[in-house]
Amino acid sequence: CEGLGRGGAGMEGAGGATDWRLALWTLFSVLLPVLITVWCSFQRSRRQLLIRDIFRKSKHDWHYTDLFGQPSYCCVCAQHILRGAFCGCCGLRVSERCLKKADQRFLCKEIMTRGAGAAQGSVPHHWVRGNVPLCSCCVVCKQQCGTQPKLCDYRCAWCQYTVHDECMVDGLKTEECTFGEFKDLIIPPYYLATINQMRKEKRTSYEKVVPYCSKHWMPVIVLANTRSGNNMGETLLGEFKMLLNPVQVFDLSKIAPAKALQLCTWLPCNAVRVLVCGGDGTVGWVLDAIDEMKIKGQERYIPQVAILPLGTGNDLSNTLGWGAGYAGEVPVEQILRNVMEADGIKLDRWKVQVTNKGYYNLRKPKVFTMNNYFSVGPDALMALNFHAHREKTPSLFSSRIINKAVYFFYGTKDCLVQECKDLNKKVELELDGERIELPNLEGIIVLNIGYWGGGCRLWEGMGDEPYPLARHDDGLLEVVGVHGSFHCAQIQVKLANPVRLGQAHTVRLILKSSKMPMQVDGEPWAQGPCTVTITHKTHALMLYHSGEQTDDDASSLSE
């Protein structure tokens, strides 16, 4: 019995030891992945902090990417890399582990020449080895560059010329750079250094400074809104910095247009061109900043404005021939060529004053500046609903297609609900002081430009009725009425005509009762009883690109 008892106790002890070992192994197998994950997370955070620190202190415009868009090689170790950092100004590409070495070893493009370079009035080529653009040709032998699967060949960060390794000679390395195809748009680094020195000495005779004295020099300033429409602004900023002097390219999410446009005062009078990358709201923001320049007495420095449409509607851009939307289908080089070839025109800008009824006139009237259109009714209601939805969840509205789908949803909803019906009983309309008898309407739209609602030629309608020609520089506004959201949709597909109420130099609209949605250039609000007065304010100098003309545009111009 004693033997059996001891045997049973031994078996129990062995079983207990096995249980403990099993528990320890289980605990170890659970903790090990957790510890590895925590350690990797710590190392990743530490590495990101180091990278961020290098980015912050560097003179390069470094950006990190998880996947390069083309086969890329590290400029330090020459190894093939899928991810890493790249400089948005000079085009260097490096792996993560070589970032610090690259930052110390390679110089970036200088925005302002220092020392002897400024006095000489010239800049040597800034050669960057490897990762040349696809389908680029050598300036020496005229053969294709970058065809070998390794770090090879050179590209100048200023003129964009490419050269084979075997064609690169000492003379090319020290040769003066001509700035290539876009020399008439680029602000040379030595020019800024010279003007800066002249300003310190209080000299203003810039006429003899090269390239100020050049007849064909038309420096361009790029203002990009990285938050507009389909979020292409960030990519475009880098591409423009590669082709131009980085000092010419501004991110409007970091610097206000009024401050960026002060660069115009360093440049020739009446020669500067501004390219606004954004929606119609961004264009209006820039034009307001240009008006501020007029108030400051800087009229001779006023630039002409071109548009790269990144917003949702882009009606002003469409009217001026720059297209209904940009999604990367046109190379940045072609955009700069279009800016060089564009013709100068004028655009009417209007003052919209909204005076609330009652309150013994103690409240100041709201004042807006209108470039495109003013409206009250269903389209303003759609814009108001869209705006409220975007304010709640801005992350959802990062695509032009999604934005238009939301507009479609609210338009369909209004077809069923008809929140703006019997508008003609709630408002009075005066054109140049003459009261207009209104038919049964749900909306009134006051137009300054040819396009409305994301590409619809509202004033023309189906084009089957005689109507006075509409222009954006004649000091006249076109006033139309719509019967509802469904009527708006019919006009957009040319199945109906608007109710043309007339043309006028001054428009006065009185909202007698209730609250109605209103908008000016896509900025909506809910408005109570008031008087809206629209009068001419000023002209803006714009650039018209004839290359994007449609058949409708051509017929209007021929008339």
Side-chain angles (χ1 to χ4, degrees):
C1 286
E2 274 184 37
L4 286 171
R6 287 173 186 169
M11 288 177 66
E12 285 178 13
T18 303
D19 290 344
W20 273 107
R21 277 199 297 272
L22 183 61
L24 285 171
W25 276 110
T26 304
L27 184 64
F28 180 74
S29 62
V30 170
L31 285 178
L32 183 61
V34 173
L35 291 171
I36 291 172
T37 304
V38 170
W39 183 81
C40 290
S41 179
F42 171 75
Q43 290 295 324
R44 193 183 302 113
S45 300
R46 187 163 166 263
R47 195 165 61 246
Q48 286 174 350
L49 283 172
L50 290 170
I51 290 171
R52 254 188 251 125
D53 189 54
I54 294 171
F55 283 10
R56 184 171 51 84
K57 294 178 181 177
S58 177
K59 291 184 179 179
H60 287 277
D61 183 29
W62 292 118
H63 299 275
Y64 189 83
T65 179
D66 287 324
L67 183 65
F68 286 109
Q70 67 179 72
S72 301
Y73 299 88
C74 176
C75 64
V76 176
C77 64
Q79 295 297 311
H80 180 260
I81 51 174
L82 293 175
R83 62 180 183 179
F86 65 94
C87 176
C89 295
C90 66
L92 280 175
R93 299 188 182 193
V94 292
S95 62
E96 199 175 292
R97 65 176 180 275
C98 297
L99 177 59
K100 192 172 182 179
K101 287 182 184 177
D103 192 60
Q104 294 169 350
R105 186 183 300 179
F106 301 107
L107 296 174
C108 194
K109 286 163 74 171
E110 280 189 303
I111 63 172
M112 187 184 294
T113 308
R114 305 185 190 281
Q120 291 171 2
S122 63
V123 173
H125 287 291
H126 185 104
W127 295 111
V128 177
R129 187 153 188 259
N131 304 306
V132 299
L134 300 174
C135 302
S136 55
C137 291
C138 175
V139 293
V140 178
C141 67
K142 310 302 179 187
Q143 298 298 313
Q144 189 173 345
C145 288
T147 54
Q148 300 179 56
K150 64 177 183 178
L151 188 76
C152 62
D153 304 337
Y154 291 86
R155 175 187 57 84
C156 175
W158 284 112
C159 62
Q160 310 305 318
Y161 290 166
T162 52
V163 182
H164 288 122
D165 286 333
E166 53 272 20
C167 296
M168 176 62 76
V169 293
D170 292 337
L172 271 175
K173 289 183 179 179
T174 56
E175 185 182 70
E176 179 184 337
C177 183
T178 61
F179 296 104
E181 181 185 359
F182 303 113
K183 62 180 182 293
D184 290 332
L185 298 180
I186 294 172
I187 302 175
Y190 56 78
Y191 172 83
L192 291 173
T194 306
I195 298 297
N196 188 41
Q197 185 61 35
M198 291 178 73
R199 285 196 161 206
K200 287 179 181 177
E201 297 169 2
K202 297 185 178 178
R203 290 186 290 149
T204 56
S205 54
Y206 304 157
E207 290 79 10
K208 296 180 181 178
V209 180
V210 178
Y212 193 107
C213 56
S214 172
K215 289 182 181 178
H216 303 292
W217 193 42
M218 51 176 80
V220 66
I221 297 173
V222 179
L223 306 178
N225 187 352
T226 53
R227 297 171 183 169
S228 285
N230 52 1
N231 292 329
M232 283 200 66
E234 195 74 45
T235 305
L236 288 167
L237 278 172
E239 293 187 27
F240 281 119
K241 284 179 180 179
M242 288 274 286
L243 296 172
L244 306 170
N245 189 332
V247 79
Q248 297 172 244
V249 185
F250 296 92
D251 182 353
L252 292 182
S253 65
K254 296 177 181 176
I255 185 169
K259 195 170 180 180
L261 289 170
Q262 287 306 301
L263 180 59
C264 295
T265 61
W266 289 51
L267 301 167
C269 304
N270 306 316
V272 182
R273 299 192 164 198
V274 169
L275 175 62
V276 180
C277 307
D280 288 344
T282 306
V283 177
W285 189 19
V286 172
L287 294 180
D288 288 340
I290 291 174
D291 285 346
E292 288 178 25
M293 291 177 69
K294 295 177 185 176
I295 296 169
K296 292 176 183 176
Q298 297 174 340
E299 282 136 303
R300 57 188 180 142
Y301 299 113
I302 296 299
Q304 294 175 302
V305 180
I307 306 170
L308 183 61
L310 302 183
T312 303
N314 305 311
D315 291 306
L316 180 57
S317 168
N318 219 352
T319 299
L320 300 179
W322 296 100
Y326 179 75
E329 65 279 3
V330 179
V332 171
E333 292 86 351
Q334 185 58 47
I335 293 166
L336 291 177
R337 292 184 198 109
N338 294 343
V339 172
M340 282 197 287
E341 295 165 3
D343 301 314
I345 59 164
K346 289 184 177 180
L347 172 73
D348 290 323
R349 303 193 77 212
W350 300 82
K351 176 184 174 184
V352 180
Q353 183 171 299
V354 182
T355 308
N356 291 312
K357 283 191 176 181
Y359 304 107
Y360 304 99
N361 294 324
L362 296 176
R363 288 190 180 182
K364 286 184 179 180
K366 289 185 279 189
V367 178
F368 305 90
T369 301
M370 182 184 85
N371 302 311
N372 299 1
Y373 36 73
F374 162 85
S375 71
V376 53
D379 66 322
L381 179 62
M382 281 188 277
L384 184 63
N385 288 331
F386 174 84
H387 186 74
H389 200 161
R390 185 168 60 178
E391 287 292 308
K392 288 180 183 176
T393 52
S395 58
L396 293 177
F397 296 83
S398 58
S399 164
R400 191 181 290 132
I401 295 173
I402 292 174
N403 294 352
K404 290 191 175 184
V406 174
Y407 265 108
F408 175 76
F409 168 75
Y410 283 120
T412 307
K413 177 186 172 186
D414 187 63
C415 287
L416 303 173
V417 179
Q418 293 183 324
E419 293 182 39
C420 302
K421 64 181 180 180
D422 298 328
L423 179 70
N424 52 298
K425 297 176 183 177
K426 301 172 185 176
V427 302
E428 292 179 6
L429 178 67
E430 294 178 8
L431 303 183
D432 289 336
E434 183 181 343
R435 185 171 173 181
I436 305 298
E437 289 297 324
L438 297 174
N440 186 26
L441 296 173
E442 284 192 30
I444 295 173
I445 302 162
V446 183
L447 299 161
N448 178 46
I449 60 175
Y451 284 93
W452 163 89
C456 169
R457 297 189 73 91
L458 182 61
W459 178 251
E460 295 175 13
M462 293 190 294
D464 60 341
E465 297 176 357
Y467 51 86
L469 188 64
R471 294 180 61 90
H472 48 262
D473 58 355
D474 58 357
L476 282 173
L477 293 165
E478 287 71 46
V479 186
V480 301
V482 292
H483 298 302
S485 294
F486 187 68
H487 186 208
C488 290
Q490 286 179 307
I491 296 169
Q492 286 199 328
V493 294
K494 295 196 173 187
L495 291 176
N497 285 314
V499 181
R500 298 187 186 92
L501 301 174
Q503 292 178 301
H505 297 90
T506 303
V507 176
R508 192 163 176 260
L509 187 143
I510 302 167
L511 179 60
K512 296 182 288 187
S513 61
S514 74
K515 186 175 278 192
M516 292 294 292
M518 293 184 180
Q519 70 155 338
V520 174
D521 291 351
E523 297 298 324
W525 75 97
Q527 178 64 48
C530 68
T531 300
V532 179
T533 308
I534 306 176
T535 53
H536 193 269
K537 180 183 179 182
T538 185
H539 282 107
L541 300 177
M542 308 298 290
L543 289 169
Y544 182 86
H545 177 232
S546 56
E548 292 290 332
Q549 260 185 29
T550 62
D551 293 338
D552 289 341
D553 294 330
S555 63
S556 297
L557 285 171
S558 65
E559 287 176 26

